[in-house]
Amino acid sequence: MANSFQLAQTFLPLLDEVYKADSRTAILDSTKVEIVNGNTIKVFKTDMDGLGNYNRNTGFVDGSVTGTWETLTLGKDRGRSFTVDRMDNEETIGMAFGTLASEFIRTKVTPEIDAYTFAKIAGTTGIDTATAADITIGTTDVPGLIDEAERSMNENEVPVDGRMLFISESAYAGLRSKVTRTVMNGEGGINKEIESYDGMRIIRVPQIRFYTAITLKDGSTSGQTAGGYTGTATTGYKINFMIIHPSAITKVVKHVLPRIFSPDENQKADAWKFDYRVYHDTFVYDNKVKGIYLHKGATALS
């Protein structure tokens, strides 16, 4: 299977590039996580006593420090297999199979990983939340909502440096409508884009990836054969914005090397075969839940 491995190596840089280019949550990927046994990671958790009175005769009050290793299992194991007939590929001058991998990552894998990540974080018990409200562009005071989020996070002593503002397109439009900012270049072009707010990097998220709950389709059950995901009806809501401090979470996306078989290697059909599998999950640290602030809509998904 040497040819299969070499083909996968050729396609892999493109796959990684596509994921990083279009993902809204790749910026949160953990880079210092040791994966144990393929799909588990270990997190070291500590707790300690606070200050006590110092006595000039007896000295310091003894304190204790506890440390435990918590094992977390990547909960999502997803994959797909595609075949492209040799003749179909030749008749399109190699485009049929050549574009399959990148389009699959861009249009299917990346949106699902983003949607799952946001929903998993939004569903974590103990995160900071606001009163739910739908956004009306031009009417809703989006800057005021964000200011309240910052105030709440400041009260909870969440570090200011490093916070990221993930925002829906509707909430972003509402923010922009309330913030007067116009930049003109020498050619008369106008730029109204807001790249940061109070030092927080702004990351705009398509609403279809921005729900408080999603349902993953298994790809085989009747009605779910197309795979992918949907926002969960009745219990899911649109997310307007989330402020996330990256230190509050661990996000792991482990791409298993794609398997690519040429028609000569494929023993079942005279066709190119592409298998793709990915382990991933996101965890919010118990002692850092306040590093997440959620503002969601008031109307449940239907």
Side-chain angles (χ1 to χ4, degrees):
M1 294 300 176
N3 290 338
S4 175
F5 179 77
Q6 291 170 4
L7 284 168
Q9 289 283 42
T10 300
F11 278 93
L12 188 58
L14 175 60
L15 303 189
D16 286 343
E17 179 182 355
V18 171
Y19 170 68
K20 296 297 182 182
D22 290 322
S23 172
R24 301 305 192 272
T25 60
I27 194 172
L28 298 173
D29 286 356
S30 300
T31 58
K32 297 181 179 180
V33 173
E34 181 178 357
I35 299 180
V36 182
N37 297 327
N39 66 341
T40 60
I41 61 176
K42 286 190 174 183
V43 176
F44 190 68
K45 302 175 65 176
T46 62
D47 192 16
M48 61 199 73
D49 294 334
L51 290 170
N53 289 336
Y54 180 83
N55 186 295
R56 296 191 178 186
N57 294 319
T58 59
F60 295 97
V61 179
D62 290 335
S64 63
V65 177
T66 59
T68 57
W69 284 98
E70 180 180 4
T71 299
L72 304 174
T73 301
L74 305 184
K76 295 305 163 190
D77 187 357
R78 305 277 282 170
R80 268 292 186 180
S81 180
F82 297 96
T83 58
V84 176
D85 185 85
R86 185 200 296 263
M87 291 297 101
D88 289 338
N89 195 56
E90 288 185 0
E91 289 169 1
T92 59
I93 319 178
M95 291 297 293
F97 187 78
T99 60
L100 169 65
S102 62
E103 282 299 286
F104 179 62
I105 300 297
R106 186 178 69 84
T107 65
K108 303 299 180 182
V109 176
T110 297
E112 180 179 309
I113 291 177
D114 281 352
Y116 175 83
T117 299
F118 289 125
K120 180 71 178 291
I121 294 173
T124 301
T125 301
I127 65 172
D128 210 359
T129 59
T131 301
D134 296 327
I135 300 294
T136 300
I137 300 172
T139 301
T140 305
D141 182 15
V142 177
L145 297 176
I146 297 175
D147 291 345
E148 172 57 25
E150 291 186 87
R151 182 205 63 77
S152 181
M153 296 186 84
N154 292 341
E155 291 287 358
N156 288 316
E157 301 185 83
V158 178
V160 174
D161 187 37
R163 294 179 190 174
M164 298 179 184
L165 173 60
F166 295 86
I167 189 168
S168 71
E169 289 294 340
S170 293
Y172 176 79
L175 173 64
R176 194 167 62 174
S177 71
K178 296 291 184 178
V179 176
T180 303
R181 179 184 181 278
T182 302
V183 178
M184 298 188 67
N185 60 32
E187 299 178 353
I190 297 175
N191 180 12
K192 296 176 63 179
E193 185 175 2
I194 305 172
E195 297 181 352
S196 65
Y197 188 87
D198 286 348
M200 295 183 291
R201 176 177 176 178
I202 291 179
I203 301 171
R204 295 156 60 179
V205 184
Q207 193 69 73
I208 197 171
R209 305 185 192 186
F210 219 25
Y211 300 130
T212 61
I214 65 168
T215 299
L216 296 174
K217 298 180 180 180
D218 60 27
S220 56
T221 302
S222 176
Q224 299 188 38
T225 55
Y229 71 95
T230 58
T232 305
T234 70
T235 59
Y237 296 83
K238 294 179 179 179
I239 297 176
N240 296 323
F241 68 84
M242 296 180 76
I243 299 178
I244 299 176
H245 197 284
S247 66
I249 71 170
T250 292
K251 176 175 178 284
V252 180
V253 179
K254 182 183 180 184
H255 293 273
V256 177
L257 189 68
R259 299 191 306 173
I260 299 175
F261 301 95
S262 71
D264 295 329
E265 295 170 311
N266 188 346
Q267 298 181 11
K268 291 187 177 181
D270 184 26
W272 289 87
K273 189 172 185 292
F274 170 71
D275 297 341
Y276 184 84
R277 185 182 180 189
V278 57
Y279 277 125
H280 72 97
D281 215 330
T282 300
F283 308 95
V284 179
Y285 294 119
D286 294 341
N287 60 342
K288 294 183 178 180
V289 290
K290 296 305 180 183
I292 311 293
Y293 187 98
L294 168 69
H295 192 285
K296 67 180 183 178
T299 304
L301 299 175
S302 58

